[in-house]
Amino acid sequence: MAQEVCCLKAQLKEKEKEIAALKKKLAQLEKSHPTVLELHDKVTPLTPLTSNPALSNEDIMRYSRQLLLPDLGVRGQLNLSKTSVLIVGCGGLGCPLAQYLAAAGIGRLGLLDYDEVELSNLHRQVLHGEENQGQAKALSAANAVKRLNSTVECIPYHLQLSSDNAVQLIQQYDIVADCSDNVPTRYLVNDACVLSGKPLVSASALRMEGQLTVYNYRGGPCYRCLYPLPPPPETVTNCSDGGVLGVVPGIMGCFQALEVLKIASGHGSSCGQQLVMFDAQDARFRSIKLRPKQPGCAVCGENPSVTQLVDYEAFCGSAATDKCLKLNLLSKDQRITVQDYKSIMDDAGPHLLLDVRPLVEVDICHLPSSLNIPLSSLQERKSEHLQLLQERISELKQQMAGDCRPPVYVICKQGNDSQKAVQVLDKMSGSEVDNIAVKDISGGLMAWAKRIDPTFPQY
Amino acid sequence: MTAQVLVLYFAQSVELTGLKEEELPDVPTPISSRDLWTLLLRRHPRLAALQHHVILAVRQQYVAVGDQVVTLADGDEVAVVPPLSGG
Ligand SMILES: [Zn+2]
């Protein structure tokens, strides 16, 4: 009898162990594969953010190292959990920003992006992984953030922010962070924040520089107070043209996280009337004291002319994307296709192939027979480059019988700069250099890689 | 009166001038911010591309390009800051 009891007890203990092990396994699985996040393709009303009156034991442990800071404390931590933040753009700035806000225990994160993850994003957009290529950035970012802190409510928006949805969306959040990559979106987000009365923590980065300002905050200026007129589109450089070192937006995105956390916790931002500039080359921060908001501002001033959202692509004269626009500066007979150029190359007729990209891009890849003179050198009429060009034209003339104009084909990455170069060369032809017949190779080297030589690198 | 100031160029103004900074030995003072900007434009005509959307700062303080008169002292910093929009 006693032996039987003993045996049953032992069996029971064994089963309990088994159950505990199964439970643990289930919990682990659930943790690594959290409930599938729903990707939003339109703006829908959100339920109010539920807030806890006190920190749980798990909260206390998780946030203990920041709870110890008198600057934050329990009250600040509870304030974070009651705050919702909309992140416009899940790229180089938005990734580190979302990461630190989630880690710190922000209540709700709206993650907005209309793009999909590409290989060329991964050097700076650190929430996305190789396996996320092709996935919506908003979803990829939300999943990464959920893995980090499952208590943060994440709402991924795979949509283009527009005049039709921006106010409705922004109204539902306490703080907005502009992590976008183009000028029209920056004006759109600014105006929507002014119209909705939300602070806008805005940062930008390019090459080796970054900038940060908190707009529309405690009497400080808005983006329009500072920049009433958009820059002409042709003067704007984006990351896909100008390049950016990944850690630079990383630093600026972390800086945005800092200011968002200061506002959300109740501490307040010190960048409301300040333009902070980061110079990565010198590892230096500088800041410029700005004026307060301007009474004459078109949106936040005393008699605003912008009382509802407008057409920002028309206002800026450019599209709300950092993707390269296809310029059309030339007539049809001034352009040839990559296929046309391939046959010219195969026929081996005398001609000059002029690559007008900057040297740094020519180092990445180029066609073997090309002569490199950057567009800027042509525009500035750099004498050593003009001399080089003239020499090559003279050689061609010697090869060609008669007095015909030597053909010059101009190529660049995507076919925009090459068109500008054709215009410059047309002006120079017959005066600054001998007469030439200049044509643009439509679509540039990227078209060459796509249609003629699939082994040619794309960047 | 003139002052020797250090002009700092940022973002696109670095490309347009080819400089990160330069000393200007004989800047008249006091000077209106418009005249100060015009003086920079005369040195670097390509800066005209930034006209109307550049921030000018003197001693880390924003100055609107216009009638505002600034007094410069030797060693003062003048910064030319076009906006960045990338992310
Ligand atoms: Zn304003």
Side-chain angles (χ1 to χ4, degrees):
Chain A
M1 176 76 180
Q3 203 183 354
E4 209 176 325
V5 169
C6 235
C7 183
L8 278 171
K9 271 186 181 168
Q11 276 183 28
L12 217 68
K13 216 167 195 172
E14 200 54 43
K15 292 286 176 205
E16 273 164 7
K17 251 190 189 167
E18 243 176 81
I19 288 170
L22 284 172
K23 274 188 178 164
K24 200 174 163 190
K25 206 172 166 186
L26 178 66
Q28 267 172 354
L29 263 176
E30 279 177 343
K31 236 179 189 163
S32 60
H33 295 278
T35 44
V36 181
L37 280 160
E38 194 197 339
L39 192 56
H40 294 236
D41 57 7
K42 55 179 180 293
V43 178
T44 48
L46 300 174
T47 54
L49 192 53
T50 51
S51 63
N52 298 326
L55 297 174
S56 69
N57 284 358
E58 201 180 311
D59 290 339
I60 290 172
M61 182 56 91
R62 180 192 279 262
Y63 303 119
S64 54
R65 298 304 184 270
Q66 63 192 40
L67 287 173
L68 292 171
L69 295 172
D71 302 284
L72 190 78
V74 172
R75 236 187 60 182
Q77 187 67 51
L78 285 169
N79 285 340
L80 294 187
S81 73
K82 288 178 213 154
T83 304
S84 59
V85 180
L86 177 69
I87 298 181
V88 180
C90 301
L93 297 162
C95 282
L97 169 60
Q99 195 168 27
Y100 273 101
L101 293 185
I106 205 83
R108 176 183 279 165
L109 271 184
L111 297 162
L112 185 145
D113 206 299
Y114 192 52
D115 283 339
E116 281 87 35
V117 179
E118 291 173 28
L119 188 59
S120 64
N121 298 149
L122 301 186
H123 81 119
R124 67 187 189 283
Q125 305 184 9
V126 291
L127 284 180
H128 315 302
E130 289 173 4
E131 70 280 10
N132 303 116
Q133 287 178 76
Q135 197 178 50
K137 277 188 195 175
L139 187 63
S140 165
N143 280 325
V145 156
K146 270 279 177 197
R147 272 198 297 279
L148 175 62
N149 190 343
S150 59
T151 67
V152 173
E153 193 189 329
C154 271
I155 303 155
Y157 297 100
H158 182 62
L159 54 85
Q160 176 93 53
L161 198 67
S162 74
S163 306
D164 299 324
N165 59 26
V167 167
Q168 194 199 351
L169 179 63
I170 281 172
Q171 269 172 350
Q172 304 188 56
Y173 287 84
D174 300 312
I175 302 169
V176 178
D178 190 345
C179 303
S180 68
D181 56 12
N182 65 82
V183 181
T185 302
R186 290 192 179 269
Y187 280 97
L188 167 64
V189 172
N190 176 71
D191 290 1
C193 283
V194 171
L195 296 175
S196 318
K198 308 290 181 182
L200 172 59
V201 180
S202 178
S204 54
L206 185 73
R207 297 195 169 129
M208 301 287 279
E209 281 178 272
Q211 295 179 351
L212 177 138
T213 298
V214 178
Y215 293 112
N216 196 39
Y217 180 69
R218 294 186 178 169
C222 81
Y223 189 69
R224 273 190 198 259
C225 289
L226 218 52
Y227 309 107
L229 295 172
E234 64 275 14
T235 68
V236 179
T237 312
N238 57 35
C239 293
S240 51
D241 286 345
V244 63
L245 192 67
V247 66
V248 175
I251 287 167
M252 299 315 292
C254 287
F255 200 163
Q256 275 179 294
L258 176 64
E259 295 311 306
V260 168
L261 290 174
K262 279 156 66 181
I263 296 171
S265 65
H267 187 280
S269 169
S270 35
C271 299
Q273 245 186 79
Q274 198 116 231
L275 167 63
V276 183
M277 301 180 289
F278 173 58
D279 180 337
Q281 271 173 346
D282 304 347
R284 255 188 98 164
F285 281 100
R286 279 195 186 81
S287 63
I288 291 176
K289 180 93 177 78
L290 300 172
R291 296 181 300 176
K293 75 180 203 167
Q294 292 302 292
C297 175
V299 65
C300 79
E302 281 158 9
N303 288 301
S305 56
V306 178
T307 53
Q308 55 180 23
L309 299 179
V310 299
D311 182 340
Y312 293 89
E313 296 192 334
F315 175 63
C316 299
S318 58
T321 169
D322 81 330
K323 306 257 181 315
C324 204
L325 280 176
K326 290 238 174 293
L327 294 178
N328 234 322
L329 305 173
L330 305 175
S331 66
K332 232 178 171 171
D333 57 315
Q334 288 176 295
R335 310 186 75 178
I336 61 167
T337 65
V338 284
Q339 287 90 344
D340 294 337
Y341 184 68
K342 176 74 167 68
S343 9
I344 292 166
M345 215 168 135
D346 292 345
D347 293 346
H351 71 273
L352 174 62
L353 176 63
L354 188 65
D355 187 331
V356 294
R357 295 172 301 154
L359 182 61
V360 69
E361 290 184 50
V362 174
D363 282 343
I364 298 172
C365 57
H366 59 270
L367 289 174
S369 57
S370 60
L371 170 70
N372 174 226
I373 299 180
L375 172 63
S376 59
S377 298
L378 292 173
Q379 286 167 332
E380 291 161 36
R381 309 292 201 267
K382 284 233 169 95
S383 58
E384 73 268 28
H385 278 134
L386 292 197
Q387 219 174 327
L388 186 63
L389 181 63
Q390 179 56 53
E391 277 166 26
R392 296 292 292 269
I393 294 169
S394 303
E395 282 169 30
L396 273 176
K397 278 179 95 169
Q398 278 176 6
Q399 285 174 42
M400 296 166 70
D403 57 355
C404 65
R405 299 178 300 160
V408 176
Y409 301 105
V410 186
I411 201 160
C412 66
K413 183 187 176 192
Q414 308 196 85
N416 286 343
D417 279 359
S418 57
Q419 294 183 63
K420 293 180 195 166
V422 167
Q423 291 181 325
V424 176
L425 288 163
D426 262 338
K427 271 194 203 130
M428 289 163 51
S429 170
S431 54
E432 292 156 271
V433 294
D434 289 351
N435 259 315
I436 43 174
V438 198
K439 283 191 161 85
D440 162 53
I441 301 177
S442 214
L445 289 165
M446 295 305 99
W448 181 265
K450 276 192 202 106
R451 293 194 202 104
I452 307 294
D453 179 5
T455 68
F456 195 85
Q458 297 188 44
Y459 64 96
Chain B
M1 284 268 288
T2 63
Q4 172 161 345
V5 302
L6 178 66
V7 187
L8 306 171
Y9 296 102
F10 294 91
Q12 226 203 341
S13 64
V14 177
E15 290 150 55
L16 295 173
T17 61
L19 297 167
K20 277 197 82 167
E21 57 177 63
E22 66 177 332
E23 293 270 4
L24 294 189
D26 296 307
V27 182
T29 178
I31 185 172
S32 80
S33 55
R34 186 183 295 113
D35 290 348
L36 181 58
W37 173 244
T38 310
L39 189 146
L40 295 175
L41 274 182
R42 263 206 303 275
R43 291 184 67 81
H44 307 287
R46 295 183 71 202
L47 283 176
L50 303 175
Q51 187 108 24
H52 306 306
H53 13 78
V54 68
I55 285 180
L56 203 59
V58 176
R59 292 183 299 270
Q60 274 113 52
Q61 288 259 351
Y62 176 95
V63 285
V65 177
D67 299 329
Q68 189 184 341
V69 173
V70 289
T71 308
L72 299 166
D74 284 346
D76 275 357
E77 272 184 8
V78 172
V80 175
V81 191
L84 292 177
S85 59

